[in-house]
Amino acid sequence: MMDSPLPEAWQRAEVPRLPAIGSDVVDEFARTIYGRTPEGGRLTEVVLRSRDNGVLDGAADRLRHRAVIACPLGNLELDIITHLPAGASAEHPVPVVVALNFKSNEEPSAKVMAAGYAVLAVDYQQIEPDDPAPATPGVRALFPTESWGAVAAWAWGLSRLLDIAGGIDGVDPANAVVLGHSRLGKAALWAGAQDERFAVTVSNGSGCCGASLFRHPGGEDIAAITTKFPHWFVPSFSTYAGNESSLPVDQHQLLASIAPRRVYVASAEDDAWADPIGEYLSVVAAMPAFAPNGIGYHVRPGTHDLLEEDWLHALAFAKR
């Protein structure tokens, strides 16, 4: 299902030869690309630090919580920001979107709040630093394994945010949405593939190792992404650089692995590095795995960004 008219180049594009959609590919994605997310991470404390009512021109209340998550080798502490739509309460809870932010002061818009979802978010680098050699280690140092990359660590964090959501008055964790943009869109897809509590998974401009097909030429490739961001994936993933056709998986299979739960993919026409046509073709190739209205897509004019209209398209899909 397409939420907007497709540009001519999208209409002319053809799905390349791809691996077949299988019933159990998540383990292969873990082995080949993201790494296996370890068991563990128990929420032990959620403390309300502040509440500001009537923010975003009266459309929302802003809550700040400190959460503590017990891991095998120590605790992870997170500063969480939740925006509740006006009128949400323990007696009248609303569904939730969990997301990772690039900056701690990012906020949804009043129109997003009017869509009726709480938005629970954290700065992604509180979970795992976006650095191949961080001065201060993140959550991966709190587990006795090094078999997972930073994208998998951020996906683990999205599941912990959903744990936290269950303890906040006014938030209903059932039918939760997980949403991410760019590298965090990759994390959202990996979280959605592993955590069946997410009813809808939303990927915006996630590109290579996100929604875009490896086997569609265009945009970032394995050589580029593993050279610049080696910490995002398992080290052996770089051996496929320049040889994408030998990968045992492709990203339409990741989308399909989320079925029968629902997926929404968003692209921007001029976001060439994310290969938006490759994202679209991935959706097309994954469609047979989904029920009607089980997977959605839109492409808008513009470049690599998460805009209000992207949010509104995705949440309108989630409500259907």
Side-chain angles (χ1 to χ4, degrees):
M1 183 208 66
M2 307 305 160
D3 257 16
S4 58
L6 294 174
E8 184 178 348
W10 274 242
Q11 297 178 44
R12 295 196 310 266
E14 296 183 0
V15 177
R17 187 179 181 88
L18 296 171
I21 293 174
S23 59
D24 186 15
V25 296
V26 172
D27 283 348
E28 191 62 57
F29 277 100
R31 185 186 68 81
T32 306
I33 301 176
Y34 305 107
R36 189 170 306 281
T37 303
E39 297 291 333
R42 180 174 56 86
L43 181 64
T44 61
E45 187 177 13
V46 180
V47 177
L48 179 64
R49 307 292 292 272
S50 67
R51 179 172 186 136
D52 299 307
N53 294 334
V55 302
L56 303 178
D57 297 324
D61 299 333
R62 182 193 301 119
L63 288 67
R64 299 181 185 272
H65 290 84
R66 169 64 62 86
V68 179
I69 302 167
C71 301
L73 302 180
N75 290 340
L76 181 71
E77 297 187 6
L78 300 176
D79 292 313
I80 311 297
I81 299 179
T82 303
H83 286 85
L84 287 175
S89 66
E91 295 75 27
H92 301 285
V94 297
V96 64
V97 178
V98 300
L100 301 179
N101 285 341
F102 285 99
K103 299 175 183 177
S104 59
N105 62 352
E106 286 183 51
E107 294 190 316
S109 71
K111 286 186 178 180
V112 169
M113 288 290 96
Y117 285 80
V119 177
L120 193 151
V122 67
D123 182 334
Y124 78 121
Q125 296 205 71
Q126 287 190 42
I127 297 166
E128 181 68 27
D130 197 357
D131 190 320
T136 302
V139 71
R140 288 188 294 168
L142 300 178
F143 284 83
T145 176
E146 297 180 358
S147 63
W148 49 326
V151 168
W154 300 325
W156 174 92
L158 286 163
S159 289
R160 302 293 72 75
L161 289 184
L162 187 52
D163 296 342
I164 293 164
I168 297 177
D169 286 345
V171 175
D172 182 358
N175 299 312
V177 178
V178 58
L179 179 148
H181 168 63
S182 192
R183 65 200 63 183
L184 306 182
K186 307 180 205 304
L189 287 172
W190 190 226
Q194 297 180 97
D195 192 336
E196 294 185 357
R197 296 177 299 166
F198 291 120
V200 179
T201 299
V202 180
S203 151
N204 188 86
S206 59
C208 180
C209 302
S212 183
L213 294 172
F214 291 112
R215 288 166 172 83
H216 179 262
E220 192 171 24
D221 58 15
I222 295 174
I225 202 168
T226 57
T227 297
K228 190 170 184 180
F229 305 110
H231 57 294
W232 287 2
F233 312 107
V234 294
S236 58
F237 179 52
S238 63
T239 62
Y240 292 97
N243 193 19
E244 277 79 355
S245 63
S246 68
L247 269 173
V249 291
D250 213 322
Q251 297 306 96
H252 68 299
Q253 295 169 302
L254 183 62
L255 301 183
S257 74
I258 299 172
R261 292 170 294 119
R262 303 170 70 216
V263 174
Y264 193 83
V265 174
S267 302
E269 288 184 52
D270 298 322
D271 188 8
W273 197 234
D275 186 18
I277 294 178
E279 293 179 323
Y280 164 67
L281 293 176
S282 186
V283 170
V284 172
M287 277 184 176
F290 291 89
N293 293 322
I295 188 167
Y297 176 82
H298 83 260
V299 56
R300 59 161 172 80
T303 56
H304 190 66
D305 204 351
L306 175 61
L307 303 182
E308 179 183 78
E309 67 179 284
D310 300 317
W311 275 92
L312 296 179
H313 275 294
L315 295 182
F317 171 83
K319 284 183 171 181
R320 293 184 186 129

